Amino acid sequence: MSTLVEKSWNDFAGFFPKETQKQIKKSVRAMQVLTTDPEPEVAPTPKELVWTKNKTKLYRYTPDQPKKYKIPLLMVYALINKPYVLDLAKGGSLIEYLVSRGFDVYLLDWGTPGLEDKNMKLDDYILDYIPRAVKKVMKNSNASEVSILGYCMGGTMTSVFAALHPELPIRNLIFMTSPFDFTNTGSYGSMLDKRYFDVDKVVDTMGNIPPEMIDYGNKMIQPIANFYGPYVSLYDRADNENFIKGFSLLQKWLNDGIPFPGESYRQWIRDFYQYNKLIKGELVIRGQKVNLKNIKANVLNLAGKNDLIAQPHMVEALMNAISSKDKIYKNLPVGHTSITFGAKAAKITYPTIGDWLAERSI
């Protein structure tokens, strides 16, 4: 909104009582946020490109001080949305926090799939990409062991990878709101029920699944809160610039979705949501049966009490399925996104991960 138009609105507001003036100014500010404010800058932590494969990139975050811990940390994100939610803004970045504490941090960015990637399967990501990335991390850091943090679906994929590669020197595994047991998935279960949702027809028709479809499905869990809630909150708190900053950052990320490779989506819906094969020990990846008992690394498994995507019971189920002696499950007072961004994340999630990892990375 131009300065002239804003001045006109303020002049107009001057004819009303103070409380009404306040509401008009909030409306004007909310409209500015939605229409004319520039997009916020994201991913501020400096990084360097270490390795690429197809669209995938492996980044190492460059610290401004010597690393304190010898075990490097590889972060693995989901095939949905973009991973910069882990590094949204200064002071609101899990990556920045861990780098500042002296960890050697890497990120596996899957990139943006094109139509030519529609045949990419979970098998490809789990057996061809993650192992190569792990070896690159260890070589680049001159380390003999590695820690891996998987967020959301990235954690589920990491668990499959770790189970299929018990020979690799994985010291620590951190899972952040990652689903493992799909017995009761709430609204997702109703939407994706195999009796009504024909995943083959969807994938065969679309190729890759557009991000708008994924976003719509996520919002339909709580349609009123998800479709209208953010804008009601924006109006209510339009006089709070700190809130506006967080709102703008999160909305940028939420609206910056990427296509879901078709064959991976077919597997994700069928093998996990519709048949729950992972926790049952029935999942097969490129001819290999996945046995979670093969996981013996130290494990920190984090759920969010308010998470409707990876509900706590879906996350906690991992604990009885693995062989790790050092394993901790925590249910934090956060949601699926607020576990990594926001005031609670900075106060609770970041030190929970940092302290646990510090004790096991020397």
Side-chain angles (χ1 to χ4, degrees):
M1 186 178 293
S2 69
T3 304
L4 181 60
V5 173
E6 183 179 0
K7 183 178 184 303
S8 298
W9 271 104
N10 289 333
D11 289 344
F12 172 73
F15 291 102
F16 294 92
K18 286 188 176 180
E19 185 57 34
T20 305
Q21 290 182 37
K22 181 179 178 181
Q23 299 306 319
I24 291 174
K25 289 180 179 179
K26 285 168 66 175
S27 298
V28 171
R29 184 69 189 105
M31 188 61 67
Q32 287 177 319
V33 173
L34 296 174
T35 58
T36 61
D37 274 11
E39 281 197 341
E41 296 293 327
V42 296
T45 308
K47 59 183 182 292
E48 60 185 6
L49 183 63
V50 173
W51 169 75
T52 64
K53 179 176 172 63
N54 192 12
K55 309 294 172 56
T56 299
K57 295 179 173 62
L58 176 66
Y59 293 104
R60 177 178 183 261
Y61 289 86
T62 53
D64 56 6
Q65 56 187 357
K67 65 181 181 181
K68 184 176 179 181
Y69 303 99
K70 65 179 182 179
I71 309 297
L73 173 66
L74 171 64
M75 292 185 163
V76 179
Y77 190 62
L79 297 177
I80 308 166
N81 291 106
K82 294 182 179 178
Y84 64 74
V85 68
L86 294 163
D87 186 34
L88 266 180
K90 284 187 176 295
S93 163
L94 175 58
I95 288 173
E96 177 194 45
Y97 172 86
L98 292 173
V99 170
S100 69
R101 284 196 58 168
F103 293 100
D104 197 7
V105 181
Y106 294 77
L107 173 70
L108 193 58
D109 183 344
W110 300 117
T112 302
L115 189 59
E116 66 276 12
D117 300 306
K118 67 179 182 179
N119 294 320
M120 288 286 292
K121 301 180 70 175
L122 293 179
D123 308 44
D124 303 316
Y125 292 110
I126 292 169
L127 293 179
D128 296 336
Y129 286 69
I130 300 180
R132 291 276 300 278
V134 166
K135 291 173 182 176
K136 289 288 182 182
V137 166
M138 292 171 61
K139 182 178 180 180
N140 196 71
S141 291
N142 194 27
S144 57
E145 294 178 282
V146 67
S147 298
I148 308 176
L149 182 152
Y151 180 24
C152 182
M153 179 188 180
T156 313
M157 294 168 65
T158 296
S159 74
V160 176
F161 157 75
L164 291 176
H165 292 86
E167 80 285 356
L168 289 179
I170 304 171
R171 181 186 286 195
N172 305 304
L173 288 170
I174 301 169
F175 300 107
M176 202 162 67
T177 60
S178 299
F180 301 102
D181 184 355
F182 295 76
T183 302
N184 177 13
T185 57
S187 297
Y188 279 123
S190 300
M191 289 188 285
L192 300 173
D193 190 308
K194 59 181 177 292
R195 294 173 295 175
Y196 315 116
F197 186 79
D198 189 339
V199 67
D200 290 327
K201 184 174 289 186
V202 171
V203 173
D204 293 344
T205 300
M206 293 185 166
N208 289 335
I209 307 306
E212 293 81 6
M213 179 175 167
I214 303 296
D215 183 57
Y216 186 83
N218 288 336
K219 287 179 177 176
M220 283 301 293
I221 299 176
Q222 285 188 317
I224 300 300
N226 290 328
F227 282 105
Y228 302 106
Y231 304 104
V232 173
S233 296
L234 174 61
Y235 171 78
D236 285 343
R237 304 178 67 180
D239 53 355
N240 183 334
E241 288 300 320
N242 284 332
F243 170 81
I244 287 175
K245 179 181 177 181
F247 172 91
S248 299
L249 286 163
L250 201 54
Q251 289 302 308
K252 174 180 172 61
W253 174 73
L254 288 170
N255 294 322
D256 196 13
I258 60 174
F260 200 135
E263 288 304 318
S264 291
Y265 180 81
R266 194 195 307 267
Q267 287 175 283
W268 181 241
I269 299 304
R270 174 177 290 156
D271 289 353
F272 293 83
Y273 277 93
Q274 294 183 341
Y275 288 94
N276 197 23
K277 291 183 178 181
L278 177 61
I279 206 70
K280 291 180 179 179
E282 299 172 357
L283 182 66
V284 176
I285 296 292
R286 199 178 287 168
Q288 301 179 66
K289 183 168 282 190
V290 179
N291 185 357
L292 292 173
K293 287 292 182 185
N294 289 336
I295 295 178
K296 299 178 181 179
N298 307 322
V299 168
L300 176 63
N301 191 18
L302 302 178
K305 291 181 180 178
N306 306 317
D307 191 347
L308 297 178
I309 294 177
Q311 298 175 54
H313 67 271
M314 299 170 66
V315 177
E316 187 178 11
L318 177 73
M319 305 308 286
N320 291 328
I322 58 179
S323 300
S324 306
K325 293 181 180 178
D326 181 353
K327 54 183 178 180
I328 296 174
Y329 167 75
K330 290 192 176 184
N331 193 2
L332 306 179
V334 295
H336 194 72
T337 303
S338 59
I339 195 170
T340 191
F341 176 70
K344 287 185 177 180
K347 183 178 179 180
I348 301 172
T349 309
Y350 298 179
T352 296
I353 292 174
D355 294 346
W356 182 89
L357 198 58
E359 293 178 6
R360 295 161 178 84
S361 299
I362 298 173

